[in-house]
Every structure is written in C-alpha cells, then in structure tokens.
Amino acid sequence: MLFERPATGERAVLVHIELAGSEQREDPREFEELVLSAGGDPVAFVTGHRTAPDSRLFIGSGKLEEVRAAVLAHEAELVLFNHSLSPSQERNLERELQCRVLDRTGLILDIFAQRARTHEGKLQVELAQLEHMSTRLVRGWTHLERQKGGIGLRGPGETQLETDRRLLRERIRSINRRLEKVRQQRALGRRARRRADLPSVSLVGYTNAGKSTLFNALTRSRVFAADQLFATLDPTTRRLRVPEAGPIVLADTVGFIRHLPHKLVESFRATLEEAAASDLLLHVIDCASEEREEQTAQVLEVLDEIGAGELPRLEIYNKIDLLAMAPRIDRDEQGRPRRVWVSAREGLGLELLAQAMGELLVPDLLATDIRLAPAHGRLRAGLYEAGAVTGEKQLEDGDVLLSVRMPRGEFNRLARGASLDPELLISAH
C-alpha cells in the first residue's frame, strides 16, 4: 500500500466539534469505535461547539491550545478529527501541533486498508487512498518544490512534486483498468447465474449490524464476523437453497457508514454493483441500536447512490436477543413480507426469514393438491426431489393425492418434462 498506516496501539487524541445548524452531524461514540477498529489507542477526547469551521485550522485558537495540551500531556503521536478536513487544514494543524493529523475519511481508509484480503479488495482500497492522497500530495514535499538540478539531475524542468503527481495519475489509471476487468468478470458471472435461473440476494446494511453473522447462520459458512466496524470488506457469495424459491446466490457485502467517503463508494463500485444487480436486498438492521433510524437512512442513501434504491427490499431486524423479543414477520397491506425480526447469533427466526425470502422471490407460488396415477412416477419423484411435497394421501383407486408448494414455473417445467399438462393436473383433483 502506498498510504502509511499507523502502528497498532498508536496513542491518539480525538477531536469532535458540534457545528451549529449542520445536517451532517457525526456520532462521537461511533468515532471512538472507528479509532479502536483501526488499532488506535484513544488517550483523550476533545469536544467543542462552533458556528462554522475555521478556514485555516477548522478549530479556533482556544481549542487548538486544548488539543496541543492533550498531545503533550499524553505524548500522543496522532490527532484524529471526526470531520472532513481540507488539505490545507491538515497541513496547518500538523505544523501547529507538531504531530500527524488525520481526518475521518483518512481514518476509514486506514481501516479498509487493514481489512482488505483479496487482490480485488486491495486494489479498490489503494485506488481510494491514491485519490485521497492526490489532493494532499503537497504535504511533506515542500522541500522538493523546486526544479531538479545538479549533476545527473538536470532534465526537462519537472519538479519533484509534479513527478509524483504524474506517477500517481499513472497508477490510478492502471488500477482503474484492472478494476474494469473485475467488473467485466463480475458481469459475466451475473449473466451466467441469470442463464441458470439463479436468483441473486445481497445482504446490505450499516457496519456491525450483523450481516456476516447472519450470512454464516444461513449458509453454514465461516466468514469472518466480529463485533467491530468494517469486519467484512471483501464480498463473499454462497449458494443457498430457499424453500419454494429453490437455489439462490447469497452475497455478503461491505457495511455502510454515515457519510461514507465518496471516493470509497466510487472505488468499491465493482463490489457494490453486485448488490445493485440483485433480485432482492436483505437490509440488515441492528434493532437494539439507539441510532437505528439514522443508520437506516444512511444505508438507503448509499443504495440510492449506487442505483439500488428501487430494488425489492426486505428489512431484517437483527439482534432481537438483546431486546428479549420473539421472532416474527411484519407484512404490508397486500400481505407481502416487509420486515423479519431475527437473532443471527442465537439462530432465532431464520426459518421465518427463509419463508419471507421465498414469498418475495417467487410471487407466483403454487400451493395446491394434484392427483397422480401410478404411471406418473417420474413427476412424483421430481416433486419430491425439489422438496415441493408437503403431504401425500393414497386413494382407493391406486392414485395418490400430493399436496405441493412450489414456484408455478418450476412445476410447469417438471410436468412438461414428464409429458403431462400442468393445468390438467392442477384441476384434476
């Protein structure tokens, strides 16, 4: 990675300023969780109020002295701001505080850099870091802002700073080309799933809402899940069989966060396109969180940004074990599932979730009795293999009455494969 990450346990002073009238208010508790997720050691938390940010330092002179005193008292190596700082503000603060300064975007980028495991994930993180760094390249290079000179250094007159900017642009173009190949590969995979008639379902939600825990519970996988922000970065897909809907592809995606840096959204577009191309989104919500309404709004905002705002969506209210609630399905006026209350950690309500997914993925569901003669053994075997038979009754004339529940299209395909008319079978009983 080109971006330098702080060493684990680096002592950090945290700064959070409430700005009057600002609609983009940050959560100081979430900010502290971000710092801990990055491996930082918060030693002091400086808070305050301002009408508007100072153009030079973001904070006023009095608050600057308070931060400087905290840095000296705790021998801190880093000051972290729970806000977006301009390059000049970062540079001026570093000069005043004599230590490194990082804003909220840089902190999130650092966490992503630590979590990336796959080649694709590392490329996407590096792209976001380079885009972020390109606006801040002047910092630390002021001693090179002069024409190169001396023996062996005389050339076309390009400054060292210009050289580095050019190298950054070339690296960004190279990564974009490689990520474009990733997008094409993902698109091919999606087309193959469509040809195989495999519905695609994606887990989305605020970071640490329990998506990976739910993914593991549904698919019996061992995807890394932890009680920390951005535990999952690289997307994972698994095939899963849902009653009535049959086999589907379930994808676990990166968590969202309030004011997710736009550069990250752009860089992770190849990954987020997986969610945008889904047949159904499972929006996982931490129902025990005091901030759940705000977190839900942030997720919907990002979904709109990636073009997934209009997709069918089922809300999964997770962690009901923390509220001592029973699992249930909430339905809309038309009787369609709208919300399912579950506990992924305790395995509560998963069968209700599977039922709700089946109803939404297969709106044309056939639930009826069919009468089969002894000669229809091929169809009977196919129905059992599909897991569609809910009951069987032997009739006096040797026929059987099967109770079936399955997608109408799949039933029609099985019936025609056995050279039978599906409509006659349905009406025969």
Side-chain angles (χ1 to χ4, degrees):
M1 293 293 172
L2 289 176
F3 207 78
E4 292 182 5
R5 279 206 310 274
T8 301
E10 191 169 20
R11 293 185 299 277
V13 172
L14 280 53
V15 181
H16 174 82
I17 305 296
E18 290 286 346
L19 298 173
S22 173
E23 295 181 359
Q24 294 193 350
R25 292 184 177 175
E26 309 293 0
D27 182 356
R29 289 172 300 178
E30 181 180 84
F31 179 47
E32 191 164 2
E33 287 180 35
L34 281 170
V35 176
L36 292 171
S37 293
D41 178 19
V43 293
F45 206 134
V46 178
T47 60
H49 294 79
R50 279 189 68 86
T51 305
D54 179 74
S55 59
R56 182 172 171 270
L57 295 169
F58 192 88
I59 53 178
S61 56
K63 193 61 62 178
L64 177 68
E65 290 304 318
E66 188 177 340
V67 174
R68 182 185 285 122
V71 169
L72 293 173
H74 297 280
E75 297 182 348
E77 303 140 295
L78 177 66
V79 175
L80 294 166
F81 276 72
N82 193 21
H83 309 276
S84 293
L85 300 177
S86 69
S88 62
Q89 286 170 338
E90 274 192 21
R91 198 161 57 249
N92 294 334
L93 285 165
E94 286 187 342
R95 190 178 298 121
E96 294 286 344
L97 298 172
Q98 292 299 300
C99 70
R100 287 196 312 115
V101 174
L102 207 59
D103 68 355
R104 180 184 172 88
T105 299
L107 177 62
I108 294 175
L109 284 170
D110 179 87
I111 296 172
F112 272 54
Q114 295 182 49
R115 300 284 189 271
R117 293 290 178 269
T118 66
H119 176 65
E120 176 194 347
K122 291 175 181 178
L123 279 177
Q124 291 175 131
V125 172
E126 185 180 355
L127 177 61
Q129 290 176 322
L130 291 174
E131 295 277 9
H132 184 67
M133 186 193 296
S134 63
T135 63
R136 288 159 164 75
L137 195 58
V138 66
R139 185 177 61 180
W141 293 98
T142 52
H143 64 292
L144 295 172
E145 287 185 13
R146 58 180 183 269
Q147 301 291 350
K148 288 187 289 188
I151 298 172
L153 292 178
R154 298 181 181 89
E158 185 177 49
T159 66
Q160 182 64 48
L161 185 58
E162 288 166 348
T163 301
D164 291 308
R165 283 178 175 155
R166 176 172 52 79
L167 291 173
L168 273 180
R169 286 194 298 270
E170 290 172 358
R171 179 63 178 163
I172 287 171
R173 280 195 294 269
S174 170
I175 293 175
N176 275 320
R177 283 195 297 270
R178 292 158 77 177
L179 286 176
E180 183 57 37
K181 292 181 180 177
V182 172
R183 292 188 185 98
Q184 293 171 2
Q185 290 166 356
R186 287 188 178 276
L188 284 173
R190 287 193 291 270
R191 282 198 291 273
R193 290 199 292 270
R194 282 195 214 99
R195 283 196 297 271
D197 203 21
L198 281 177
S200 176
V201 179
S202 291
L203 292 166
V204 298
Y206 207 77
T207 181
N208 207 27
K211 295 183 299 301
S212 295
T213 304
L214 180 60
F215 182 86
N216 288 338
L218 289 172
T219 63
R220 294 182 174 84
S221 301
R222 294 185 179 179
V223 170
F224 178 67
D227 184 18
Q228 60 185 31
L229 303 185
F230 299 117
T232 300
L233 183 58
D234 299 309
T236 307
T237 57
R238 293 286 187 277
R239 186 175 288 210
L240 171 68
R241 189 168 192 87
V242 174
E244 298 157 358
I248 68 165
V249 173
L250 183 66
D252 185 19
T253 63
V254 62
F256 302 150
I257 195 169
R258 72 183 72 220
H259 312 141
L260 189 66
H262 186 73
K263 290 182 179 64
L264 273 180
V265 176
E266 282 297 313
S267 301
F268 277 75
R269 191 163 294 279
T271 299
L272 296 174
E273 279 173 359
E274 199 72 31
S278 298
D279 297 292
L280 176 66
L281 296 178
L282 301 183
H283 180 183
V284 183
I285 300 167
D286 180 356
C287 67
S289 171
E290 298 176 0
E291 305 283 334
R292 77 182 189 191
E293 296 302 326
E294 293 85 350
Q295 292 173 359
T296 299
Q298 290 295 323
V299 171
L300 297 180
E301 187 178 309
V302 177
L303 289 176
D304 283 335
E305 189 171 348
I306 64 174
E310 301 301 319
L311 291 178
R313 187 171 63 250
L314 177 64
E315 293 182 346
I316 314 299
Y317 273 52
N318 189 29
K319 306 186 183 181
I320 60 172
D321 53 303
L322 301 180
L323 302 179
M325 293 178 60
R328 71 173 192 266
I329 297 179
D330 295 342
R331 298 179 180 273
D332 61 17
E333 296 79 4
Q334 286 77 40
R336 292 190 300 267
R338 181 173 62 90
R339 181 179 297 158
V340 185
W341 298 75
V342 306
S343 169
R345 187 177 65 181
E346 302 299 328
L348 302 175
L350 299 185
E351 67 288 342
L352 293 178
L353 172 55
Q355 176 189 330
M357 289 167 61
E359 291 183 37
L360 291 175
L361 288 170
V362 189
D364 189 12
L365 188 68
L366 177 67
T368 187
D369 295 334
I370 60 170
R371 185 172 184 142
L372 297 180
H376 301 154
R378 180 180 174 186
L379 176 58
R380 180 175 176 274
L383 292 170
Y384 268 101
E385 187 179 345
V389 180
T390 59
E392 178 178 335
K393 182 181 179 181
Q394 192 74 36
L395 302 178
E396 293 180 0
D397 60 1
D399 289 356
V400 293
L401 194 65
L402 293 184
S403 299
V404 298
R405 186 180 175 89
M406 67 188 305
R408 185 179 294 271
E410 188 175 351
F411 174 76
N412 292 345
R413 181 178 59 79
L414 287 173
R416 293 192 184 104
S419 302
L420 298 169
D421 187 334
E423 295 303 322
L424 292 177
L425 285 171
I426 293 170
S427 58
H429 70 277

